Amino acid sequence: MSYLVDSVDSAMRLLNCIAEHPGLGVTELANRLALNKSRTYRMVRTLQHHQLVVLDPRNATYVLGPQAAFLGGAASRQTPITQAIAQISASDSGR
């Protein structure tokens, strides 16, 4: 039994595709993901609204946005190895 939400799964696939292939337009993204072009456009506009992607208006292509960078930074700070390194660094600087 799958508990995936189709629209969230598609949006995550889209976001990952933009991360792996920055600078693609809607048509190229839709083709790579085998999605309908209008659905892809609506999803990318939603991601843009949340600043997860940004549009380069010169050539109508998308790259990751500032919110994606924020989430990546937060994720890296929350991994156990990063937390352990931070603790070691803090104890070393206290000497």
Side-chain angles (χ1 to χ4, degrees):
M1 183 183 315
S2 176
Y3 291 102
L4 298 180
V5 177
D6 184 52
S7 59
V8 176
D9 186 58
S10 293
M12 294 307 301
R13 289 178 48 230
L14 176 58
L15 190 58
N16 285 324
C17 186
I18 293 169
E20 293 173 12
H21 308 283
L24 296 179
V26 171
T27 301
E28 294 93 344
L29 290 165
N31 289 339
R32 281 185 182 265
L33 298 170
L35 295 171
N36 178 288
K37 187 176 172 181
S38 65
R39 180 178 182 198
T40 303
Y41 177 76
R42 290 190 312 271
M43 285 193 302
V44 80
R45 292 290 299 185
T46 301
L47 294 173
Q48 187 179 5
H49 173 78
H50 291 282
Q51 298 183 351
L52 288 164
V53 301
V54 293
L55 171 68
D56 181 345
R58 296 171 296 169
N59 54 13
T61 61
Y62 294 90
V63 296
L64 292 181
Q67 187 63 19
F70 169 79
L71 291 173
S76 69
R77 288 187 302 276
Q78 293 175 23
T79 61
I81 188 70
T82 306
Q83 291 173 347
I85 292 168
Q87 289 173 350
I88 292 167
S89 295
S91 67
D92 285 347
S93 66
R95 289 184 183 172

